[in-house]
Amino acid sequence: MTPRAGSGTALNRRPSPGVIARTRSKRFDGFFRRRFPKPRGEWARSLAASFAVVFGGIGGWADPLIPVAPDKVIRATRDTPDNKGPTTPGRVLPGERPTRKSYVIPALEIPAFILTLNGYDRLVYGDEVYGVTPRTFRDHALHGPWVVDQDSFAINQIGHPYQGAMYYGFARSANLNYWEGLLYSNAGSALWETAGERSDPSLNDQVASGTAGSFIGEALFRLANLVLEEGGPAPNRWRKLAAGVISPPTMLNRILFGDRYGPVLESRHPALSSCLALGAGFNATDHAAGSGESLARTASYVDYRIAYGLPGKPGYRYLRPFDYFDFEIDSIAESGRQYNSAMIRGLLFGAPYGAGDAYRGVWGLYGTFDYLSPQVYRLSTTAASFGTTAQWWLSERLALQGTALAGVGYGSVGTILPTLSEADFHYGVSPQQLLALRLLMGNRFSLDASGRNVFITGVGAGKAPGHELVQHVTAGLSVRTFGRQAVAVGYMLGRRKAHYSGGLQDRDQTVRTVTLTYNFLGRARLGAVEWGNNQFDN
């Protein structure tokens, strides 16, 4: 009997990915057999067949192919206590699609990325630093020594963390979880330190790439997926392009493998608060001993911030690292110079809690990365901190949000343009604290204040024995005018006090900046999370 269309028989079923892959492999093999006779073309045919199987998503094919190695498939399980921890397979909950993951894909992509980056650096900057050989790799891998290097601040504290975020993104976009991605980012960093440069492997670069890279990579990974998710079932090309710019490894693997490793992330609809601010800053440098900077009185100012997974939303759960995180990036430009800052804090291990009907929060272990550049000095730290993030309804018209953290990390700080010949910056173990508060008054006003203390010790310094205390304070008032529009006035204070032995000059530097901005809000609200009877009267 001839099967009817739509009957579900073999005639109208799609071939399996394995059948599709083998068919395409045969097409490539036949193509090269006609053009490369044996035995000279054997290697070319084999390479083409392998290329067709592994990277068949290129060239307009929409169907994903079989992976380079058997996938591990995670299926939804009953929601029991054994399925709640951030390291368990509980990332897949009842009602969510099964996910596939591959450990081999990032294991191939990360070395390929390192090889490409080394080749580019070698071409542009020469062989003195990047002319690695098998011998240098063997010496670094077997003998080290691992040191605290003194490369430029931008390379060590921006370039290396972002490089680590790329390693992490390759793993995450193959559907590995955060902890697996953390292992890959550290392995990629170690491979670069031993095989990417001729200089001795660097401990501070390993921290910046392997650990800070995972914090940055996870935040970018989730933001890229959020951009696509906000576009509905079929996001347009502009959203896809924006997501690719935010997280290039995710875009690459979607091109190569389609939806095989999707959904890459089930966001589970977190409570969000975001804002883009554009405006001007007004500088007042009270004291900047040892700095060669002469700051202009006015500057342009840009700031973007997002809080993801704010506590209090009914049904939202904190099962995975960075199910709550706060991300902020800003830039001040004046007199042809640009100063960028970035701050990330994300919940690694934690649990929600509450008190009465008006208080909701999460507490646990946070991972943080801070890069602050208040125009005279620069500070960067990677840390682990214990703390809490919460919201408290003080009344029916007032809500208080806040985060309090205390922990220890590894950081560096230094004058941007020192007047003397001292090293640009100094490293050390860095105890630190953070308190950030936000008072929301209806849907019209918000008052923000935050303070950071970072103490850079002489432990693990490598150079410049001594210590530094850096304090960073911000405050601001925002007024929502209509819809998503708001105006804000802000204040930033940065102070650095440094004392070093060995003849280096002490530092006591203070910078004050006032900002006036137009703000575009991600939602037509200022960010309060509503639950039960606790909500603003709209």
Side-chain angles (χ1 to χ4, degrees), residues 21 24-26 28-29 32 43-61 65-68 255-257:
R24 289 172 181 164
S25 177
K26 290 178 180 178
F28 266 73
D29 187 64
F32 272 82
W43 64 271
R45 291 196 302 273
S46 299
L47 178 62
S50 300
F51 185 87
V53 172
V54 179
F55 298 110
I58 297 178
W61 288 319
L65 302 179
I66 62 171
V68 295
I255 292 174
L256 296 179
F257 305 107

Side-chain angles (χ1 to χ4, degrees), residues 342-415:
M343 292 147 281
I344 298 171
R345 58 179 181 266
L347 185 68
L348 298 176
F349 291 101
Y353 67 98
D357 294 330
Y359 188 93
R360 298 289 183 270
V362 292
W363 73 276
L365 178 68
Y366 291 69
T368 66
F369 172 75
D370 292 324
Y371 179 93
L372 304 176
S373 184
Q375 305 177 78
V376 171
Y377 63 86
R378 293 173 292 199
L379 165 74
S380 179
T381 66
T382 301
S385 301
F386 284 99
T388 183
T389 299
Q391 179 176 307
W392 181 17
W393 283 93
L394 302 173
S395 72
E396 63 179 13
R397 303 297 299 168
L398 290 176
L400 179 65
Q401 294 177 340
T403 296
L405 300 177
V408 63
Y410 191 60
S412 60
V413 63
T415 304

Side-chain angles (χ1 to χ4, degrees), residues 115-455:
L115 182 64
T116 303
L117 182 60
N118 173 264
Y120 171 82
D121 289 338
R122 194 168 182 170
L123 180 65
V124 174
Y125 302 108
D127 290 344
E128 183 178 355
V129 176
Y130 299 103
V132 294
T133 64
R135 181 176 179 179
T136 60
F137 169 64
R138 183 179 65 252
D139 289 344
H140 288 160
L142 298 179
H143 308 296
W146 286 77
V147 300
V148 177
D149 75 23
Q150 297 293 316
D151 291 343
S152 73
F153 198 96
I155 290 176
N156 277 355
Q157 302 306 317
I158 297 178
H160 280 296
Y162 188 73
Q163 188 174 333
M166 294 299 102
Y167 305 150
Y168 178 87
F170 288 123
R172 203 62 174 91
S173 57
N175 233 345
L176 305 188
N177 64 31
Y178 172 83
W179 304 108
E180 294 163 336
L182 177 64
L183 292 176
Y184 275 83
S185 64
N186 274 278
S189 177
L191 182 59
W192 173 265
E193 291 301 316
T194 55
E197 299 174 319
R198 292 178 62 89
S199 55
D200 291 334
S202 171
L203 289 169
N204 45 306
D205 291 349
Q206 183 69 30
V207 173
S209 297
T211 303
S214 74
F215 300 159
I216 298 171
E218 180 67 16
L220 296 180
F221 175 77
R222 286 182 178 251
L223 291 177
N225 281 277
L226 184 63
V227 167
L228 295 176
E229 190 176 74
E230 295 268 299
N236 60 40
R237 68 182 63 182
W238 298 111
R239 285 188 174 273
K240 292 179 180 179
L241 177 61
V245 171
I246 294 171
S247 180
T250 303
M251 176 183 67
L252 175 64
N253 279 345
R254 282 187 172 132
I255 292 174
L256 296 179
F257 305 107
D259 291 332
R260 182 169 185 80
Y261 300 103
V264 178
L265 178 73
E266 291 280 1
S267 71
R268 300 169 187 164
H269 308 293
L272 300 170
S273 173
S274 63
C275 176
L276 173 64
L278 305 170
F282 306 90
N283 291 316
T285 303
D286 293 342
H287 190 56
S291 173
E293 288 282 37
S294 178
L295 299 183
R297 183 61 62 182
T298 61
S300 60
Y301 178 73
V302 179
D303 177 88
Y304 175 76
R305 63 183 65 191
I306 181 169
Y308 178 108
L310 287 165
K313 182 173 182 178
Y316 186 74
R317 305 176 62 190
Y318 300 88
L319 296 176
R320 307 162 299 187
F322 277 67
D323 273 342
Y324 164 78
F325 73 89
D326 192 281
F327 173 80
E328 180 179 359
I329 183 169
D330 65 49
S331 178
I332 296 177
E334 53 91 6
S335 300
R337 295 185 293 264
Q338 187 168 331
Y339 308 91
N340 302 305
S341 298
M343 292 147 281
I344 298 171
R345 58 179 181 266
L347 185 68
L348 298 176
F349 291 101
Y353 67 98
D357 294 330
Y359 188 93
R360 298 289 183 270
V362 292
W363 73 276
L365 178 68
Y366 291 69
T368 66
F369 172 75
D370 292 324
Y371 179 93
L372 304 176
S373 184
Q375 305 177 78
V376 171
Y377 63 86
R378 293 173 292 199
L379 165 74
S380 179
T381 66
T382 301
S385 301
F386 284 99
T388 183
T389 299
Q391 179 176 307
W392 181 17
W393 283 93
L394 302 173
S395 72
E396 63 179 13
R397 303 297 299 168
L398 290 176
L400 179 65
Q401 294 177 340
T403 296
L405 300 177
V408 63
Y410 191 60
S412 60
V413 63
T415 304
I416 295 176
L417 288 179
T419 56
L420 301 179
S421 59
E422 71 164 327
D424 183 32
F425 55 95
H426 318 293
Y427 279 96
V429 174
S430 53
Q432 51 197 274
Q433 305 85 37
L434 164 73
L435 179 62
L437 298 173
R438 191 175 196 212
L439 182 64
L440 299 162
M441 296 164 273
N443 282 317
R444 187 66 59 184
F445 303 96
S446 71
L447 182 63
D448 299 78
S450 68
R452 283 178 173 83
N453 279 324
V454 180
F455 188 69

